Amino acid sequence: MLPFLLLLLPASLLAAPVERVISLSPHTTELAYAAGLGDKLVAASDYSDYPEAAKSLERVANYRGIKLERIIALKPDLILAWQGGNPPREMTKLEQLGLKIFYSNPKALEDIPQTLEALGQYADAPDQARQAAAVFREKLHQLDARYRQQRPVRYFYQLSASPMITVADNNWPSQVFNHCGGENIFASSKAAYPQVSEEQVVVRQPEVIFGTPHAGTQTGLWQKWDGKLPAVNDQHIYNLEADWLNRPTPRTIKAVEQVCHFLDRVRQDKP
């Protein structure tokens, strides 16, 4: 509850501009640039590849953990971390050393502009973050107005192929599909990212199947179900841009637009 309350307080009561920032995940790196902190970044995580300038930053984190000693040696006055994604034990050590940590873990599309504004308080020019947040909200509002009355479309999102993993509702990036009128066939799963079988997908009869290039969606995996699966019968199997979809950043709006476009194709085929 506290992080949400902090977002509601005036920036002047919360923080002053910083000079040395370290980002420990690709999405917080991208958010930092969008919020006007790009020139303050001294290090980032592996796969922090957007914008182009991020590729030249020193790497101090990856999926295996963080380089604790190197982070300390760089003397950051702000660390951007992925709550739930970075190792809690190491993060606790950094906190105990008195280092300031900003945790990011957006749960809804509306959290993205709020996070931008919260990060903007640390920038020399907070207006950049406020403007980026306003643009995101306006585009999201336009998409909501366009698609809120459209009929729901049953979809399956294939996060990976072996094992086959999907996502339940209220877990990222299900919010992207929901905003366009997508109806998740595994919405009620007790697991956040359940492992499923092809047969379970077929039983639920999705009208469209989504994946990303690394998920194996377009490898012909589903073709053997031709005649038994609406998404295959009507050739509604689509790859989405992974970084737009999986990183909660301003570019997420591109993922929403992409998903909405493909769901419209399904509706046009079967009004």
Side-chain angles (χ1 to χ4, degrees):
M1 188 68 179
L2 181 58
F4 175 76
L5 293 176
L6 289 177
L7 291 177
L8 301 180
L9 294 174
S12 59
L13 298 180
L14 294 173
V18 295
E19 296 301 325
R20 297 178 63 80
V21 181
I22 290 177
S23 171
L24 301 182
S25 76
H27 92 267
T28 54
T29 302
E30 189 171 332
L31 285 167
Y33 278 97
L37 291 171
D39 61 339
K40 310 292 186 181
L41 282 166
V42 296
S45 66
D46 283 0
Y47 303 108
S48 290
D49 54 9
Y50 187 88
E52 188 69 22
K55 295 179 180 179
S56 63
L57 294 169
E58 179 180 345
R59 302 315 197 195
V60 293
N62 57 36
Y63 70 92
R64 293 186 295 271
I66 65 175
K67 298 179 181 179
L68 190 65
E69 292 182 0
R70 183 55 183 158
I71 291 171
I72 296 169
L74 287 169
K75 299 180 179 180
D77 44 21
L78 181 65
I79 296 173
L80 309 181
W82 176 18
Q83 192 166 30
N86 293 126
R89 181 179 299 179
E90 283 80 356
M91 299 312 301
T92 298
K93 290 180 181 178
L94 292 173
E95 291 174 354
Q96 291 171 343
L97 290 170
L99 294 173
K100 184 184 295 184
I101 301 176
F102 180 100
Y103 286 101
S104 170
N105 188 25
K107 296 290 188 182
L109 293 171
E110 294 77 9
D111 292 341
I112 294 173
Q114 287 184 346
T115 302
L116 284 171
E117 290 167 338
L119 282 174
Q121 67 185 310
Y122 299 105
D124 293 333
D127 283 348
Q128 179 176 331
R130 287 194 284 266
Q131 182 176 1
V135 169
F136 187 94
R137 287 192 179 103
E138 178 58 27
K139 289 183 177 179
L140 197 62
H141 174 74
Q142 291 173 358
L143 288 166
D144 180 59
R146 179 176 176 181
Y147 290 101
R148 72 167 66 122
Q149 300 299 329
Q150 300 294 326
R151 80 163 179 87
V153 176
R154 292 174 58 78
Y155 77 89
F156 171 62
Y157 172 52
Q158 183 179 324
L159 184 60
S160 65
S162 184
M164 186 173 290
I165 295 174
T166 187
V167 59
D169 262 11
N170 300 318
N171 298 282
W172 199 270
S174 63
Q175 298 86 343
V176 173
F177 301 98
N178 294 347
H179 200 81
C180 299
E183 188 176 272
N184 187 354
I185 63 171
F186 288 101
S188 60
S189 174
K190 293 181 180 179
Y193 297 93
Q195 182 173 331
V196 300
S197 67
E198 294 176 37
E199 289 76 13
Q200 287 175 301
V201 174
V202 173
V203 166
R204 287 165 173 78
Q205 294 285 285
E207 299 174 78
V208 57
I209 294 174
F210 291 110
T212 55
H214 62 268
T217 312
Q218 296 281 15
T219 60
L221 169 69
W222 297 103
Q223 297 312 311
K224 62 177 171 287
W225 298 104
D226 190 16
K228 299 180 180 179
L229 190 57
V232 178
N233 301 345
D234 300 325
Q235 299 181 25
H236 290 308
I237 301 177
Y238 303 112
N239 267 344
L240 304 172
E241 183 67 35
D243 290 349
W244 296 352
L245 182 66
N246 295 326
R247 298 180 185 179
T249 73
R251 289 194 297 167
T252 297
I253 205 71
K254 294 179 179 289
V256 179
E257 291 170 340
Q258 191 177 37
V259 169
C260 287
H261 170 72
F262 287 134
L263 291 182
D264 256 1
R265 283 192 185 179
V266 178
R267 295 185 182 103
Q268 289 166 7
D269 279 358
K270 292 186 176 179

